[in-house]
Amino acid sequence: MENCIFCKIARGEIPAKIVKETDELVAFNDLSPQAPHHVLIIPKQHISTLAEINENNYELMGKIVLTASEIAKELNLEGYRIVANCNEIAGQSVFHIHFHLLGGRQMHWPPG
Ligand code: DGP
């Protein structure tokens, strides 16, 4: 999508610290890290929110989780959290599906 910031990162039009990239996905460091390790994993295909997942694109979500787990291993994370905020009420601010991989510090539950 033309003006989507994460599509621009996926196309290499704006800089990001890329951690991993495949034909379908890109993982890069979050600009505003909430933990010592904070990586965003996105599909290159523009999908706005988790509410748009359907039978044609759900496999991408599994690939994102697999990629998150591979990155966590590469970072030697003892434990980690994967978060996907769906819609503004849940804290989504960028409307291109992304999974946050957070690790490197003690986490607490429930989140705010
Ligand atoms: P969310 O609130 O769940 O939609 O998370 C959006 C995240 O995206 C937030 O943690 C900050 C990050 N972010 C926003 N703009 C950019 C950017 O231009 N580059 C990078 N690397 N991260 C960004």
Side-chain angles (χ1 to χ4, degrees), residues 20-85:
K20 213 177 205 24
E21 181 165 9
T22 69
D23 287 351
E24 295 177 299
L25 307 175
V26 196
F28 53 94
N29 285 340
D30 195 292
L31 202 60
S32 172
Q34 302 302 311
H37 296 286
H38 188 168
V39 178
L40 299 174
I41 304 133
I42 67 167
K44 287 186 174 175
Q45 178 189 343
H46 184 87
I47 304 169
S48 298
T49 76
L50 276 177
E52 288 180 21
I53 294 304
N54 59 44
E55 289 199 346
N56 299 317
N57 56 23
Y58 75 95
E59 287 178 347
L60 275 172
M61 302 301 105
K63 289 178 184 176
I64 286 176
V65 173
L66 175 62
T67 301
S69 128
E70 288 169 355
I71 293 168
K73 283 192 188 97
E74 285 161 19
L75 292 171
N76 287 314
L77 296 181
E78 179 188 344
Y80 53 90
R81 182 174 290 173
I82 297 172
V83 177
N85 299 320

Side-chain angles (χ1 to χ4, degrees), residues 1-15 96:
M1 190 182 262
E2 190 64 30
N3 285 319
C4 167
I5 193 127
F6 285 179
C7 283
K8 288 184 181 177
I9 288 175
R11 292 195 295 261
E13 291 171 11
I14 61 169
H96 179 128

